[in-house]
């Protein structure tokens, strides 16, 4: 499951430019030769060049993964390669942006060919899946740290923002939430989970699938959106703040996998509401779009669940009301627990 990469006696002889050529530039050139898209110049110069259309906006996002903070020491490098790009593509998806390309800055404890081979394989597996080529970056020696900047395009002024939710909007979430946190709890030995159940959900933690197709399809349907990275309700709170709205959420309507549903109700609620690392999309849309969203769910073969409603903001700060399956409001002390989200400096 987790291992320390073997140290190759030749690793210290692998220089920076050899490393870039062997594990990154060659794969990037193969992608661009097959489909250059908007990339007019990739790896090899001082900057990459992306063609810009007059009727488009450029979407840019950066995410960093730090060993010991975002992943376990000795984690599977193929999974790391996949996830490092997936979290950035998820941000693009939330804004309805089409991926164009990405840069990679990585600090490595050593230039270990075995580790790099697996890392680059995972990285380019997801890059090819979403036609998002590597177009530049940097490498250096240091504690393992992976930073990706991804670029996407949206039609002019049509990006799906956090600040444009409207009163009465339905609140939706894609897929299931809580499995990544459940897998993490099992790996940390916080709970006991049968191996068959861990196998069923572990990929949600290590190899999340960004909802790029959904984000593109929500253009013209969704009013606002955010990707679920630090916890569903905590992330939704960002939408409330920027849109200046309140919200009412049916807590037991949050979509959960069969594996999470085996757990006690309190644990189900906690992990689904604030577990994080789900990389699903939470979005708002007017009620007249319900049929379109249901049809979209069928077309994409992706569950889309209506979990609540946007309300006019009554106080000086946005508030979220949580309702159980009987329609009863949960007490404020309980709500605070479910609104917690991952803090990168806690």
């Amino acid at each position: 499951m987790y291992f320390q990469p073997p140290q190759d006696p030749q690793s210290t002889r692998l220089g920076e430019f050899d490393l870039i050529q062997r594990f990154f530039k060659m794969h990037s050139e193969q992608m661009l030769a097959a489909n250059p898209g908007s990339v007019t110049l990739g790896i090899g110069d001082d900057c990459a060049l992306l063609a810009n259309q007059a009727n488009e906006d450029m979407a840019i996002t950066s995410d960093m993964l730090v060993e010991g903070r975002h992943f376990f020491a000795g984690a599977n490098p193929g999974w790391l390669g996949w996830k490092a790009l997936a979290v950035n593509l998820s941000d693009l998806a939330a804004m309805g942006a089409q991926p164009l390309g990405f840069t990679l800055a990585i600090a490595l404890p050593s230039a270990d060919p075995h580790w790099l081979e697996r890392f680059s394989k995972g990285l380019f597996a997801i890059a090819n899946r979403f036609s998002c080529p590597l177009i530049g970056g940097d490498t250096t020696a240091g504690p393992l740290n992976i930073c990706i900047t991804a670029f996407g395009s949206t039609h002019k002024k049509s990006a799906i923002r956090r600040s444009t939710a409207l009163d009465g909007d339905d609140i939706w979430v894609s897929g299931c939430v809580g499995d990544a946190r459940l897998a993490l709890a099992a790996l940390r030995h916080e709970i006991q989970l049968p191996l068959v159940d861990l196998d069923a959900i572990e990929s949600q933690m290590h190899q999340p699938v960004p909802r790029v197709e959904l984000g593109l399809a929500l253009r013209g349907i969704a009013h606002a959106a955010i990707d679920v990275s630090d916890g569903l309700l905590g992330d939704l709170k960002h939408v409330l703040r920027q849109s200046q709205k309140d919200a009412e959420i049916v807590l037991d309507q949050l979509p959960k996998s069969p594996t999470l549903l085996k757990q006690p109700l309190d644990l189900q609620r906690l992990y689904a509401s604030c577990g994080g690392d789900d990389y699903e999309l939470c979005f708002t849309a007017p009620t007249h779009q319900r049929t379109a969203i249901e049809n979209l769910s069928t077309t994409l073969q992706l569950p889309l669940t209506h979990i609540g409603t946007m309300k006019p903001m009554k106080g000086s700060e946005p508030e979220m009301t949580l309702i159980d399956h009987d329609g009863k409001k949960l007490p404020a002390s309980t709500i605070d627990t479910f609104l917690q989200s991952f803090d990168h400096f806690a």
Side-chain angles (χ1 to χ4, degrees):
M1 194 170 299
Y2 295 101
F3 70 101
Q4 187 63 39
Q7 294 299 307
D8 190 303
Q10 302 298 318
S11 65
T12 56
R13 301 179 187 175
L14 190 62
E16 177 184 7
F17 296 105
D18 292 334
L19 181 159
I20 293 169
Q21 174 65 37
R22 178 174 169 182
F23 297 104
F24 301 111
K25 190 172 188 289
M26 179 179 66
H27 295 289
S28 173
E29 288 175 341
Q30 290 171 349
M31 285 189 69
L32 292 175
N35 182 22
S38 297
V39 181
T40 57
L41 183 63
I43 297 173
D45 217 305
D46 289 313
C47 294
L49 297 177
L50 299 177
N52 191 24
Q53 303 296 322
N55 62 343
E56 293 184 350
D57 284 328
M58 184 80 74
I60 304 169
T61 181
S62 288
D63 268 294
M64 185 183 301
L65 298 183
V66 178
E67 186 176 53
R69 185 61 179 166
H70 300 102
F71 58 90
F72 296 130
N76 181 316
W79 290 345
L80 284 181
W82 176 285
K83 189 169 184 179
L85 182 53
V87 301
N88 284 272
L89 293 177
S90 184
D91 285 333
L92 293 181
M95 298 201 77
Q98 176 69 54
L100 297 178
F102 71 98
T103 61
L104 167 68
I106 183 168
L108 297 164
S110 66
D112 184 339
H114 299 288
W115 190 95
L116 285 161
E117 185 67 42
R118 298 189 67 183
F119 175 82
S120 63
K121 184 176 181 180
L123 180 72
F124 284 102
I126 186 170
N128 276 283
R129 177 166 175 171
F130 291 101
S131 300
C132 186
L134 176 64
I135 58 173
D138 192 22
T139 61
T140 189
L144 184 55
N145 186 323
I146 306 159
C147 182
I148 281 178
T149 298
F151 304 86
S153 66
T154 67
H155 296 307
K156 203 74 172 176
K157 299 181 180 179
S158 69
I160 308 171
R161 303 165 186 260
R162 299 178 182 181
S163 58
T164 46
L166 298 180
D167 296 344
D169 273 1
D170 291 331
I171 303 171
W172 300 78
V173 66
S174 64
C176 294
V177 288
D179 280 353
R181 181 63 181 89
L182 180 61
L184 179 63
L187 294 172
R188 284 177 170 173
H189 306 293
E190 296 171 356
I191 63 170
Q192 294 293 321
L193 200 65
L195 186 58
V196 64
D197 286 343
L198 180 59
D199 287 344
I201 63 171
E202 195 172 9
S203 64
Q204 298 301 112
M205 175 182 173
H206 299 304
Q207 293 181 296
V209 179
R211 304 305 185 185
V212 174
E213 296 94 341
L214 174 61
L216 294 172
L218 286 174
R219 292 173 170 179
I221 293 177
H223 282 157
I226 190 170
D227 82 314
V228 182
S229 55
D230 297 330
L232 173 57
L233 298 187
D235 285 333
L236 177 58
K237 199 71 180 284
H238 297 310
V239 176
L240 300 189
R241 288 194 186 99
Q242 295 202 31
S243 293
Q244 292 292 284
K245 304 296 176 192
D246 290 346
E248 184 176 89
I249 300 294
V250 184
L251 185 61
D252 295 322
Q253 213 159 288
L254 304 188
K256 309 172 193 74
S257 71
T259 304
L260 184 55
L261 286 169
K262 294 178 184 179
Q263 301 303 309
L265 180 60
D266 285 349
L267 200 65
Q268 291 180 35
R269 287 174 164 179
L270 184 66
Y271 288 176
S273 63
C274 63
D277 234 17
D278 296 302
Y279 300 102
E280 297 292 346
L281 295 188
C282 179
F283 60 96
T284 80
T287 56
H288 70 260
Q289 294 286 9
R290 287 180 183 175
T291 299
I293 292 170
E294 290 165 359
N295 290 340
L296 188 56
S297 175
T298 301
T299 300
L300 297 179
Q301 297 184 316
L302 174 66
L304 300 175
T305 305
H306 177 207
I307 63 170
T309 306
M310 302 296 288
K311 303 284 187 179
M313 193 172 76
K314 294 180 179 179
S316 58
E317 290 291 328
E319 292 185 4
M320 195 179 300
T321 301
L322 301 187
I323 300 172
D324 66 15
H325 57 277
D326 293 322
K328 296 179 180 178
K329 292 183 180 180
L330 275 65
S333 58
T334 304
I335 291 175
D336 288 342
T337 299
F338 296 130
L339 289 180
Q340 294 176 7
S341 58
F342 180 74
D343 185 342
H344 294 265
F345 289 92

